[in-house]
Amino acid sequence: MEKKTMLLHGMTCAACAQRIEKTLRKLPGIAQVNVNLASEKLFVDYDEEALTPAEIRDAVAKIGYEAVEPPIVQTVTIPIGGMTCAACSTRVEKALHKLEGVTAASVNLATEKAQVTYDPQSIRLSGVREAITKLGYQPLTVQKHGEADAARVRKQQEIRNLWMKFIFAAVFSFPLLYIAMAPMIGFVRLPFPASLEPMRYPLLFSLVQLMLVLPVMGIGYQFYTIGFRALWQRSPNMDSLIAVGTSAAFLYSLYNVFQIAAGHFAAVDALYFETAGVIITLILLGKTLEAVSKGRTGDAIKKLMGLAPKTATILQNGAEIEIPIEEVEIGDTVLVRPGGKIPVDGLVLEGHTAIDESMLTGESMPVDKHAGDTVYAASINTTGTVRFRAQKVGEDTALAQIIRLVEDAQGSKAPIAKLADVVSGFFVPVVVAIALLAGIAWFIGTGGDVTFSLTIFISVLVIACPCALGLATPTAIMVGTGKGAEHGILVKGGEALETAHKIDTIVLDKTGTITKGKPTVTDVIPVEGYDANTLLAMAASAEIGSEHPLGQAIVAQARERGLALEQAIAFTAITGRGIQATLQAQTILAGNRKLMDENGLSFATLQEVTNALAEEGKTPMFIAVDGKPAGIIAVADVVKPSSQEAIQRLQNMGLQVVMITGDNERTAAAIARKVGITHVLAEVLPQDKASEVKKLQAQGRKVAMVGDGINDAPALAQADIGIAIGSGTDVAIESADIVLMRSDLLDVPTAIQLSKRTIRNIKQNLFWAFGYNVIGIPIAAGVLHLFGGPLLNPMFAAAAMSLSSVSVLTNALRLKRFKPTMKSTKTSEEG
Amino acid sequence: MLKNQKVIVSMLIGVLVATALIVTVMINTGGQLDTVAVNATESFAQMVNTVPSLLTRDGNGHWNITAPDGSARFILGAEGNYVALAWDAKPFIAAGLAVEKLPDAYTLNGEELVYTMGVAGDGSKEQAGTAALAMQTLTKTMPGAIGYHIPMDHFGVMVGEAGMFEWAQSLETLTDTGEPQEKDIVFVLSPDALIEAGVEPALVEGWVYAPVEVMDGGATLFVEKFLKPFNIA
């Protein structure tokens, strides 16, 4: 099964998206199709043996749209040596423009750089360089820009074109509107040329309007080409409504121009050129604002794409070389100085620094990195110089994976969108039918008043806005998932986002989720004759060679305290018991009570302490020196600092919080008490975690499972929402619906909060989109007028229609202001 | 490049469509942009031909269209550069008019109040031609004086501040609706100067004092006028 993403051109409303989906679903070999109106992308899963991308493109083209593979154009910056004057740069620029496959070229003499956009399938970069060389200049090392740049440039170009079109249309529409309306305004005298007075020079008056409306209709030709084609193919879209509405206004006005020419001067009162012109202008304005807002919904992903540096400094034969990031290979030694960005993922070889990973994890505090630690592309080296070996480059870096994840999520649909999808499917034909019926009804009702019924017909067509319906859900999902990514919360799709807001039970894995997942020394209790540090130093020296987590925790604690450790002369690990080690002067026995019992050592004097430690969920390590008890070192997996607050926030959100662990009940209860959990599932074997989740679901609960280990993967998959915590394994992340980049449980309530906000935003959008049409269409059809109320002018209908899409987009963009509520108050969580 | 060509072709098609439309319209009007003038002249000729008794030529060679009851006259200079309105002063004097308070453009000629606009040509007595020809000339020499009144389907000649003379485009039916035309000619007097000179509108007999839709500087206004309509056909 092949997955493909294509860019779609020519879509204007939800009906278009629906139509493409419907058409593609009929193709053999199609498994899944999803069209995102907001991002104008097609996501398709298909059997590559049954279908080719060309067939998909053809099917889309047949219904009047264009599906194109993501741009393969590349933009490179080529520093050029040898240019001395403006003539040189002009010459290079001209030569580059002439190259086949080069779509844009601009040479800056001041920076001595050429920026070239080219199609690699038509011309290779070497060809571009060769052309520069042929002119007698020297092309230097190339700087490539990514797809993000190309997409950004394309979007900016589209917005610029729309602005230009709008300005062009407005330049003609404003005088058109003035000429048409000024004579009708009775309460104020507006300057008006006598030579255009409709009662004196009606023909000139109408011809001037005709001349003014034609350029406006010309600049908006796409409404007609797309709209009528869609109508012809029996799947009308928003463009069809605009095309039919404005064409009706234009043709009726044109007919009246001929009437005027024939001496029927009363026809001067029935000119609607300004309606057609202003409608197109306002729709163009709406489209422009929509494009700007749409562009902003994808800001998060653009921000992520822009995070990676363009170049990297690598060490080659001891020399530092700066190369484009695309040229970094696995195994290269990369050097990053303070203030520099990490270019690729890698393993620190040398140096000690603090790295700001906030752009990837949302964690504001820089993370200490030493030799052996992993660094991630796009994070910022803050304090020291580090050298690291490149381990993951290009599409394999964590950043690239995050971008892919977010892109996939943004392209997905939430179940809540289904209603809008269904309505969009038959929206336009229904609107056309309503417009016709209303027009005919008013024609009959007014005793054959063509002008009045035409006004109604046009108003209904123009006010109907399927765009708002189509944009309501995807825009909110795009902003919501993007915002999540900014906070280190990767939501894998619209469905996950929607389900997350419905959950009522949250199951937290203990180890690595509530706790740090690494045992830590909590208590050092020496017997008389030893002090704590001496006991710890001896135990740590004995455990240096141990691979057991408890032993490593003791060594780590001793090192943290700066204690001097000695190398053991002899070391024996006793499976299931502990260790025995010989130091310079002592023999150390460290392990559980069984080990001590087997060696005839009694810790009776410490029995009470031992019991208390067990009660607190701590594991006592008994230490004996030279055959005599020396003390107890307690080790426990400590609770993360934020876990208690996170759990309180979850409880305040009305969620039942359940802890699940393989630990014994006493240890589990101790941890649960600490963090305020009352519902504990203890002694659950890894393979049984999923069935425990299932049991909760069987009680009718919507369950979210939060975990980090491989053993959590089945439970994550079983839960309605699986949340993998960032420090977790790839398998857990793969099985999860939401991935938390940080290892902080506070991100769980934040993720749920984000989900609630996003779904609320979607509901608001849908409410406005539906409400707007449900209210607007009857008003346009003259229902208010029927009861003595006002009649909607088609131009106001067009303005309202344009604003409806923009208002939905603006509402979705409000999500960009989302900030996690940090207070553990009930009201704040729900707000 | 292809895109640019597409834009140029689209623009050319647009220009061609616009030109074709304008040319078609112009062919329809015989190349005349001032269709009101053309139609006004035609309908004026039709009117005077239909009811020739209304039309007389005075001693100065001016064409006179006199109301069937003789209470008002529209005077058209034979050279098309002179128009005047003359009407019976008695109802206005009876309603309080102090003639001496009227602006200079108004004169009392016997029992008639007269308002003239333009300059009567020398030797107009000898002017040959018809009233229609004079009207045609008027549409060129005083184009601003000609107008069309949509609600009544009337053409009209504005006679300065005094008022205007209107006649129906068709004496039989309204062009747009096909309803019977019952106001074939209308003498219209602007009331401002008369009221300032003491006229109490409600006391004026033989004239209707009513609001009329007019164009003023591009704005459509309703203003009170003295009206005297006649159904002559």
Side-chain angles (χ1 to χ4, degrees), chain A residues 182-183 185-186 189-190 199-200 202 211 214 261 263-265 268, chain B residues 18 22 29 34 36 143 146 148 150 169 175 213 216-218 220-221:
Chain A
I185 299 170
R189 284 186 187 188
L190 296 171
M199 288 201 197
R200 175 61 189 89
M211 297 293 282
L214 283 171
H264 296 274
F265 300 117
V268 79
Chain B
I22 305 290
T29 64
D34 193 356
V36 165
I146 309 295
Y148 175 75
I150 291 177
Q169 179 159 215
T175 313
E213 184 186 317
D216 186 1
T220 306
L221 304 173

PDB file of all heavy atoms in Angstrom, chain A residues 182-183 185-186 189-190 199-200 202 211 214 261 263-265 268, chain B residues 18 22 29 34 36 143 146 148 150 169 175 213 216-218 220-221:
ATOM      1  N   ALA A 182     -24.790  56.632  -6.610  1.00  0.00           N
ATOM      2  CA  ALA A 182     -24.923  58.053  -6.262  1.00  0.00           C
ATOM      3  C   ALA A 182     -26.266  58.637  -6.682  1.00  0.00           C
ATOM      4  O   ALA A 182     -26.898  59.341  -5.885  1.00  0.00           O
ATOM      5  CB  ALA A 182     -23.767  58.845  -6.864  1.00  0.00           C
ATOM      6  N   PRO A 183     -26.762  58.343  -7.894  1.00  0.00           N
ATOM      7  CA  PRO A 183     -28.062  58.917  -8.275  1.00  0.00           C
ATOM      8  C   PRO A 183     -29.215  58.396  -7.425  1.00  0.00           C
ATOM      9  O   PRO A 183     -30.297  58.953  -7.429  1.00  0.00           O
ATOM     10  CB  PRO A 183     -28.234  58.473  -9.730  1.00  0.00           C
ATOM     11  CG  PRO A 183     -26.880  58.096 -10.199  1.00  0.00           C
ATOM     12  CD  PRO A 183     -26.161  57.587  -9.006  1.00  0.00           C
ATOM     13  N   ILE A 185     -29.055  57.904  -4.144  1.00  0.00           N
ATOM     14  CA  ILE A 185     -29.015  58.385  -2.768  1.00  0.00           C
ATOM     15  C   ILE A 185     -29.740  59.723  -2.703  1.00  0.00           C
ATOM     16  O   ILE A 185     -29.318  60.703  -3.316  1.00  0.00           O
ATOM     17  CB  ILE A 185     -27.566  58.510  -2.274  1.00  0.00           C
ATOM     18  CG1 ILE A 185     -26.909  57.124  -2.316  1.00  0.00           C
ATOM     19  CG2 ILE A 185     -27.518  59.069  -0.857  1.00  0.00           C
ATOM     20  CD1 ILE A 185     -25.430  57.136  -2.081  1.00  0.00           C
ATOM     21  N   GLY A 186     -30.836  59.733  -1.981  1.00  0.00           N
ATOM     22  CA  GLY A 186     -31.655  60.929  -1.953  1.00  0.00           C
ATOM     23  C   GLY A 186     -31.289  61.897  -0.843  1.00  0.00           C
ATOM     24  O   GLY A 186     -31.525  63.083  -0.943  1.00  0.00           O
ATOM     25  N   ARG A 189     -26.271  65.009  -1.441  1.00  0.00           N
ATOM     26  CA  ARG A 189     -25.885  65.331  -2.813  1.00  0.00           C
ATOM     27  C   ARG A 189     -24.432  64.972  -3.020  1.00  0.00           C
ATOM     28  O   ARG A 189     -23.547  65.612  -2.461  1.00  0.00           O
ATOM     29  CB  ARG A 189     -26.059  66.817  -3.073  1.00  0.00           C
ATOM     30  CG  ARG A 189     -27.498  67.198  -3.257  1.00  0.00           C
ATOM     31  CD  ARG A 189     -27.560  68.632  -3.652  1.00  0.00           C
ATOM     32  NE  ARG A 189     -28.939  69.092  -3.691  1.00  0.00           N
ATOM     33  CZ  ARG A 189     -29.284  70.276  -4.153  1.00  0.00           C
ATOM     34  NH1 ARG A 189     -28.364  71.118  -4.580  1.00  0.00           N
ATOM     35  NH2 ARG A 189     -30.541  70.646  -4.169  1.00  0.00           N
ATOM     36  N   LEU A 190     -24.188  63.942  -3.785  1.00  0.00           N
ATOM     37  CA  LEU A 190     -22.809  63.560  -4.078  1.00  0.00           C
ATOM     38  C   LEU A 190     -22.424  64.159  -5.431  1.00  0.00           C
ATOM     39  O   LEU A 190     -23.269  64.245  -6.325  1.00  0.00           O
ATOM     40  CB  LEU A 190     -22.692  62.035  -4.132  1.00  0.00           C
ATOM     41  CG  LEU A 190     -22.970  61.311  -2.817  1.00  0.00           C
ATOM     42  CD1 LEU A 190     -23.050  59.814  -3.040  1.00  0.00           C
ATOM     43  CD2 LEU A 190     -21.870  61.609  -1.810  1.00  0.00           C
ATOM     44  N   MET A 199     -31.082  59.988 -16.068  1.00  0.00           N
ATOM     45  CA  MET A 199     -32.323  60.405 -16.725  1.00  0.00           C
ATOM     46  C   MET A 199     -32.051  61.268 -17.962  1.00  0.00           C
ATOM     47  O   MET A 199     -32.956  61.532 -18.745  1.00  0.00           O
ATOM     48  CB  MET A 199     -33.195  61.166 -15.740  1.00  0.00           C
ATOM     49  CG  MET A 199     -33.808  60.249 -14.696  1.00  0.00           C
ATOM     50  SD  MET A 199     -35.236  61.006 -13.984  1.00  0.00           S
ATOM     51  CE  MET A 199     -35.462  60.035 -12.517  1.00  0.00           C
ATOM     52  N   ARG A 200     -30.806  61.727 -18.069  1.00  0.00           N
ATOM     53  CA  ARG A 200     -30.497  62.545 -19.236  1.00  0.00           C
ATOM     54  C   ARG A 200     -29.686  61.762 -20.262  1.00  0.00           C
ATOM     55  O   ARG A 200     -29.920  61.830 -21.460  1.00  0.00           O
ATOM     56  CB  ARG A 200     -29.716  63.797 -18.775  1.00  0.00           C
ATOM     57  CG  ARG A 200     -29.231  64.670 -19.904  1.00  0.00           C
ATOM     58  CD  ARG A 200     -30.399  65.206 -20.734  1.00  0.00           C
ATOM     59  NE  ARG A 200     -29.946  65.879 -21.949  1.00  0.00           N
ATOM     60  CZ  ARG A 200     -29.752  65.269 -23.108  1.00  0.00           C
ATOM     61  NH1 ARG A 200     -29.952  63.959 -23.217  1.00  0.00           N
ATOM     62  NH2 ARG A 200     -29.361  65.946 -24.164  1.00  0.00           N
ATOM     63  N   PRO A 202     -28.989  58.128 -20.274  1.00  0.00           N
ATOM     64  CA  PRO A 202     -29.070  56.749 -19.752  1.00  0.00           C
ATOM     65  C   PRO A 202     -28.161  55.768 -20.481  1.00  0.00           C
ATOM     66  O   PRO A 202     -27.616  54.845 -19.868  1.00  0.00           O
ATOM     67  CB  PRO A 202     -30.544  56.380 -19.943  1.00  0.00           C
ATOM     68  CG  PRO A 202     -31.062  57.348 -20.954  1.00  0.00           C
ATOM     69  CD  PRO A 202     -30.265  58.593 -20.811  1.00  0.00           C
ATOM     70  N   MET A 211     -18.517  49.181 -19.253  1.00  0.00           N
ATOM     71  CA  MET A 211     -17.059  49.240 -19.449  1.00  0.00           C
ATOM     72  C   MET A 211     -16.310  48.996 -18.135  1.00  0.00           C
ATOM     73  O   MET A 211     -15.224  48.446 -18.122  1.00  0.00           O
ATOM     74  CB  MET A 211     -16.641  50.615 -19.991  1.00  0.00           C
ATOM     75  CG  MET A 211     -17.201  50.937 -21.351  1.00  0.00           C
ATOM     76  SD  MET A 211     -16.508  49.878 -22.604  1.00  0.00           S
ATOM     77  CE  MET A 211     -14.923  50.641 -22.819  1.00  0.00           C
ATOM     78  N   LEU A 214     -16.660  45.024 -16.987  1.00  0.00           N
ATOM     79  CA  LEU A 214     -15.982  43.983 -17.778  1.00  0.00           C
ATOM     80  C   LEU A 214     -14.584  43.646 -17.256  1.00  0.00           C
ATOM     81  O   LEU A 214     -14.248  42.467 -17.120  1.00  0.00           O
ATOM     82  CB  LEU A 214     -15.942  44.383 -19.257  1.00  0.00           C
ATOM     83  CG  LEU A 214     -17.276  44.193 -19.995  1.00  0.00           C
ATOM     84  CD1 LEU A 214     -17.208  44.805 -21.383  1.00  0.00           C
ATOM     85  CD2 LEU A 214     -17.640  42.720 -20.081  1.00  0.00           C
ATOM     86  N   ALA A 261     -30.954  51.449 -25.317  1.00  0.00           N
ATOM     87  CA  ALA A 261     -30.592  51.853 -26.679  1.00  0.00           C
ATOM     88  C   ALA A 261     -31.824  51.897 -27.566  1.00  0.00           C
ATOM     89  O   ALA A 261     -31.899  52.691 -28.509  1.00  0.00           O
ATOM     90  CB  ALA A 261     -29.558  50.879 -27.238  1.00  0.00           C
ATOM     91  N   GLY A 263     -34.693  52.828 -26.554  1.00  0.00           N
ATOM     92  CA  GLY A 263     -35.609  53.872 -26.116  1.00  0.00           C
ATOM     93  C   GLY A 263     -36.403  53.549 -24.869  1.00  0.00           C
ATOM     94  O   GLY A 263     -37.192  54.354 -24.401  1.00  0.00           O
ATOM     95  N   HIS A 264     -36.178  52.352 -24.317  1.00  0.00           N
ATOM     96  CA  HIS A 264     -36.876  52.002 -23.067  1.00  0.00           C
ATOM     97  C   HIS A 264     -36.017  52.495 -21.902  1.00  0.00           C
ATOM     98  O   HIS A 264     -35.330  51.726 -21.249  1.00  0.00           O
ATOM     99  CB  HIS A 264     -37.097  50.489 -22.990  1.00  0.00           C
ATOM    100  CG  HIS A 264     -37.993  49.964 -24.056  1.00  0.00           C
ATOM    101  ND1 HIS A 264     -39.359  49.940 -23.942  1.00  0.00           N
ATOM    102  CD2 HIS A 264     -37.718  49.498 -25.300  1.00  0.00           C
ATOM    103  CE1 HIS A 264     -39.891  49.461 -25.040  1.00  0.00           C
ATOM    104  NE2 HIS A 264     -38.909  49.179 -25.897  1.00  0.00           N
ATOM    105  N   PHE A 265     -36.134  53.808 -21.675  1.00  0.00           N
ATOM    106  CA  PHE A 265     -35.207  54.415 -20.709  1.00  0.00           C
ATOM    107  C   PHE A 265     -35.451  53.997 -19.271  1.00  0.00           C
ATOM    108  O   PHE A 265     -34.580  54.128 -18.421  1.00  0.00           O
ATOM    109  CB  PHE A 265     -35.256  55.942 -20.838  1.00  0.00           C
ATOM    110  CG  PHE A 265     -34.872  56.407 -22.205  1.00  0.00           C
ATOM    111  CD1 PHE A 265     -35.763  57.085 -23.023  1.00  0.00           C
ATOM    112  CD2 PHE A 265     -33.604  56.129 -22.702  1.00  0.00           C
ATOM    113  CE1 PHE A 265     -35.401  57.498 -24.291  1.00  0.00           C
ATOM    114  CE2 PHE A 265     -33.237  56.534 -23.980  1.00  0.00           C
ATOM    115  CZ  PHE A 265     -34.132  57.218 -24.775  1.00  0.00           C
ATOM    116  N   VAL A 268     -33.046  51.914 -17.240  1.00  0.00           N
ATOM    117  CA  VAL A 268     -31.879  52.428 -16.545  1.00  0.00           C
ATOM    118  C   VAL A 268     -31.966  52.127 -15.046  1.00  0.00           C
ATOM    119  O   VAL A 268     -30.954  52.073 -14.347  1.00  0.00           O
ATOM    120  CB  VAL A 268     -31.721  53.955 -16.820  1.00  0.00           C
ATOM    121  CG1 VAL A 268     -32.659  54.776 -15.963  1.00  0.00           C
ATOM    122  CG2 VAL A 268     -30.277  54.393 -16.610  1.00  0.00           C
TER     123      VAL A 268
ATOM    124  N   ALA B  18     -15.603  43.260 -24.985  1.00  0.00           N
ATOM    125  CA  ALA B  18     -16.076  44.599 -24.625  1.00  0.00           C
ATOM    126  C   ALA B  18     -16.377  45.406 -25.878  1.00  0.00           C
ATOM    127  O   ALA B  18     -17.439  46.031 -25.994  1.00  0.00           O
ATOM    128  CB  ALA B  18     -15.021  45.297 -23.772  1.00  0.00           C
ATOM    129  N   ILE B  22     -20.016  46.890 -27.129  1.00  0.00           N
ATOM    130  CA  ILE B  22     -20.230  48.332 -27.333  1.00  0.00           C
ATOM    131  C   ILE B  22     -20.670  48.589 -28.769  1.00  0.00           C
ATOM    132  O   ILE B  22     -21.623  49.339 -29.019  1.00  0.00           O
ATOM    133  CB  ILE B  22     -18.930  49.132 -27.031  1.00  0.00           C
ATOM    134  CG1 ILE B  22     -18.403  48.822 -25.626  1.00  0.00           C
ATOM    135  CG2 ILE B  22     -19.135  50.632 -27.243  1.00  0.00           C
ATOM    136  CD1 ILE B  22     -19.199  49.341 -24.485  1.00  0.00           C
ATOM    137  N   THR B  29     -28.237  51.917 -31.799  1.00  0.00           N
ATOM    138  CA  THR B  29     -28.673  53.309 -31.620  1.00  0.00           C
ATOM    139  C   THR B  29     -28.310  54.162 -32.826  1.00  0.00           C
ATOM    140  O   THR B  29     -28.432  55.387 -32.767  1.00  0.00           O
ATOM    141  CB  THR B  29     -28.004  53.929 -30.386  1.00  0.00           C
ATOM    142  OG1 THR B  29     -26.593  53.977 -30.614  1.00  0.00           O
ATOM    143  CG2 THR B  29     -28.288  53.154 -29.134  1.00  0.00           C
ATOM    144  N   ASP B  34     -26.463  59.916 -27.399  1.00  0.00           N
ATOM    145  CA  ASP B  34     -27.486  60.696 -26.710  1.00  0.00           C
ATOM    146  C   ASP B  34     -28.862  60.253 -27.173  1.00  0.00           C
ATOM    147  O   ASP B  34     -29.571  60.943 -27.904  1.00  0.00           O
ATOM    148  CB  ASP B  34     -27.262  62.196 -26.982  1.00  0.00           C
ATOM    149  CG  ASP B  34     -28.096  63.062 -26.057  1.00  0.00           C
ATOM    150  OD1 ASP B  34     -28.898  62.483 -25.274  1.00  0.00           O
ATOM    151  OD2 ASP B  34     -27.950  64.287 -26.105  1.00  0.00           O
ATOM    152  N   VAL B  36     -31.520  59.930 -25.528  1.00  0.00           N
ATOM    153  CA  VAL B  36     -32.629  60.713 -24.989  1.00  0.00           C
ATOM    154  C   VAL B  36     -32.948  61.851 -25.961  1.00  0.00           C
ATOM    155  O   VAL B  36     -34.119  62.107 -26.281  1.00  0.00           O
ATOM    156  CB  VAL B  36     -32.296  61.260 -23.586  1.00  0.00           C
ATOM    157  CG1 VAL B  36     -33.274  62.356 -23.169  1.00  0.00           C
ATOM    158  CG2 VAL B  36     -32.336  60.135 -22.566  1.00  0.00           C
ATOM    159  N   PRO B 143     -28.103  71.058 -24.518  1.00  0.00           N
ATOM    160  CA  PRO B 143     -28.324  69.643 -24.181  1.00  0.00           C
ATOM    161  C   PRO B 143     -28.751  69.444 -22.724  1.00  0.00           C
ATOM    162  O   PRO B 143     -29.498  68.519 -22.408  1.00  0.00           O
ATOM    163  CB  PRO B 143     -26.959  68.998 -24.459  1.00  0.00           C
ATOM    164  CG  PRO B 143     -25.970  70.113 -24.449  1.00  0.00           C
ATOM    165  CD  PRO B 143     -26.713  71.329 -24.912  1.00  0.00           C
ATOM    166  N   ILE B 146     -32.576  69.269 -21.801  1.00  0.00           N
ATOM    167  CA  ILE B 146     -33.402  68.111 -22.137  1.00  0.00           C
ATOM    168  C   ILE B 146     -33.301  67.065 -21.023  1.00  0.00           C
ATOM    169  O   ILE B 146     -32.248  66.880 -20.433  1.00  0.00           O
ATOM    170  CB  ILE B 146     -32.927  67.466 -23.456  1.00  0.00           C
ATOM    171  CG1 ILE B 146     -32.797  68.518 -24.567  1.00  0.00           C
ATOM    172  CG2 ILE B 146     -33.851  66.319 -23.902  1.00  0.00           C
ATOM    173  CD1 ILE B 146     -34.110  69.146 -24.972  1.00  0.00           C
ATOM    174  N   TYR B 148     -35.254  63.217 -19.200  1.00  0.00           N
ATOM    175  CA  TYR B 148     -36.235  62.133 -19.290  1.00  0.00           C
ATOM    176  C   TYR B 148     -36.711  61.835 -17.884  1.00  0.00           C
ATOM    177  O   TYR B 148     -35.903  61.765 -16.947  1.00  0.00           O
ATOM    178  CB  TYR B 148     -35.605  60.896 -19.938  1.00  0.00           C
ATOM    179  CG  TYR B 148     -36.533  59.704 -19.962  1.00  0.00           C
ATOM    180  CD1 TYR B 148     -37.587  59.642 -20.868  1.00  0.00           C
ATOM    181  CD2 TYR B 148     -36.373  58.646 -19.068  1.00  0.00           C
ATOM    182  CE1 TYR B 148     -38.458  58.568 -20.883  1.00  0.00           C
ATOM    183  CE2 TYR B 148     -37.236  57.560 -19.081  1.00  0.00           C
ATOM    184  CZ  TYR B 148     -38.275  57.521 -19.983  1.00  0.00           C
ATOM    185  OH  TYR B 148     -39.147  56.470 -20.007  1.00  0.00           O
ATOM    186  N   ILE B 150     -38.384  59.071 -15.728  1.00  0.00           N
ATOM    187  CA  ILE B 150     -38.708  57.639 -15.805  1.00  0.00           C
ATOM    188  C   ILE B 150     -40.131  57.314 -15.346  1.00  0.00           C
ATOM    189  O   ILE B 150     -40.867  56.663 -16.093  1.00  0.00           O
ATOM    190  CB  ILE B 150     -37.673  56.809 -15.019  1.00  0.00           C
ATOM    191  CG1 ILE B 150     -36.323  56.867 -15.744  1.00  0.00           C
ATOM    192  CG2 ILE B 150     -38.125  55.358 -14.875  1.00  0.00           C
ATOM    193  CD1 ILE B 150     -35.206  56.152 -15.022  1.00  0.00           C
ATOM    194  N   GLN B 169     -43.340  60.056 -24.149  1.00  0.00           N
ATOM    195  CA  GLN B 169     -42.609  59.388 -25.239  1.00  0.00           C
ATOM    196  C   GLN B 169     -43.608  58.805 -26.236  1.00  0.00           C
ATOM    197  O   GLN B 169     -43.394  58.861 -27.426  1.00  0.00           O
ATOM    198  CB  GLN B 169     -41.707  58.289 -24.672  1.00  0.00           C
ATOM    199  CG  GLN B 169     -40.939  57.552 -25.730  1.00  0.00           C
ATOM    200  CD  GLN B 169     -39.691  56.827 -25.212  1.00  0.00           C
ATOM    201  OE1 GLN B 169     -38.712  56.742 -25.896  1.00  0.00           O
ATOM    202  NE2 GLN B 169     -39.739  56.336 -24.005  1.00  0.00           N
ATOM    203  N   THR B 175     -44.055  53.318 -22.230  1.00  0.00           N
ATOM    204  CA  THR B 175     -43.162  52.438 -22.989  1.00  0.00           C
ATOM    205  C   THR B 175     -42.816  51.177 -22.201  1.00  0.00           C
ATOM    206  O   THR B 175     -42.778  50.083 -22.743  1.00  0.00           O
ATOM    207  CB  THR B 175     -41.848  53.185 -23.301  1.00  0.00           C
ATOM    208  OG1 THR B 175     -42.177  54.463 -23.790  1.00  0.00           O
ATOM    209  CG2 THR B 175     -41.001  52.441 -24.297  1.00  0.00           C
ATOM    210  N   GLU B 213     -40.477  63.476  -8.672  1.00  0.00           N
ATOM    211  CA  GLU B 213     -39.119  62.928  -8.584  1.00  0.00           C
ATOM    212  C   GLU B 213     -38.229  63.647  -9.601  1.00  0.00           C
ATOM    213  O   GLU B 213     -38.549  63.686 -10.795  1.00  0.00           O
ATOM    214  CB  GLU B 213     -39.148  61.429  -8.890  1.00  0.00           C
ATOM    215  CG  GLU B 213     -37.811  60.741  -8.725  1.00  0.00           C
ATOM    216  CD  GLU B 213     -37.855  59.293  -9.188  1.00  0.00           C
ATOM    217  OE1 GLU B 213     -38.829  58.590  -8.873  1.00  0.00           O
ATOM    218  OE2 GLU B 213     -36.903  58.891  -9.881  1.00  0.00           O
ATOM    219  N   ASP B 216     -31.017  65.697  -9.194  1.00  0.00           N
ATOM    220  CA  ASP B 216     -30.337  66.935  -8.853  1.00  0.00           C
ATOM    221  C   ASP B 216     -28.896  66.590  -8.484  1.00  0.00           C
ATOM    222  O   ASP B 216     -28.651  66.001  -7.430  1.00  0.00           O
ATOM    223  CB  ASP B 216     -31.048  67.619  -7.684  1.00  0.00           C
ATOM    224  CG  ASP B 216     -30.447  68.982  -7.387  1.00  0.00           C
ATOM    225  OD1 ASP B 216     -29.516  69.372  -8.106  1.00  0.00           O
ATOM    226  OD2 ASP B 216     -30.909  69.646  -6.448  1.00  0.00           O
ATOM    227  N   GLY B 217     -27.990  66.948  -9.350  1.00  0.00           N
ATOM    228  CA  GLY B 217     -26.568  66.670  -9.082  1.00  0.00           C
ATOM    229  C   GLY B 217     -26.326  65.194  -8.841  1.00  0.00           C
ATOM    230  O   GLY B 217     -25.513  64.820  -8.022  1.00  0.00           O
ATOM    231  N   GLY B 218     -27.026  64.365  -9.568  1.00  0.00           N
ATOM    232  CA  GLY B 218     -26.812  62.935  -9.414  1.00  0.00           C
ATOM    233  C   GLY B 218     -27.746  62.312  -8.392  1.00  0.00           C
ATOM    234  O   GLY B 218     -27.900  61.102  -8.335  1.00  0.00           O
ATOM    235  N   THR B 220     -31.412  61.602  -6.630  1.00  0.00           N
ATOM    236  CA  THR B 220     -32.833  61.580  -6.944  1.00  0.00           C
ATOM    237  C   THR B 220     -33.575  62.227  -5.773  1.00  0.00           C
ATOM    238  O   THR B 220     -33.455  61.771  -4.643  1.00  0.00           O
ATOM    239  CB  THR B 220     -33.305  60.130  -7.118  1.00  0.00           C
ATOM    240  OG1 THR B 220     -32.461  59.512  -8.081  1.00  0.00           O
ATOM    241  CG2 THR B 220     -34.740  60.072  -7.584  1.00  0.00           C
ATOM    242  N   LEU B 221     -34.329  63.284  -6.079  1.00  0.00           N
ATOM    243  CA  LEU B 221     -35.024  64.009  -5.017  1.00  0.00           C
ATOM    244  C   LEU B 221     -36.503  64.102  -5.342  1.00  0.00           C
ATOM    245  O   LEU B 221     -36.892  64.040  -6.505  1.00  0.00           O
ATOM    246  CB  LEU B 221     -34.461  65.436  -4.883  1.00  0.00           C
ATOM    247  CG  LEU B 221     -32.966  65.591  -4.628  1.00  0.00           C
ATOM    248  CD1 LEU B 221     -32.591  67.058  -4.708  1.00  0.00           C
ATOM    249  CD2 LEU B 221     -32.594  65.028  -3.271  1.00  0.00           C
TER     250      LEU B 221
END
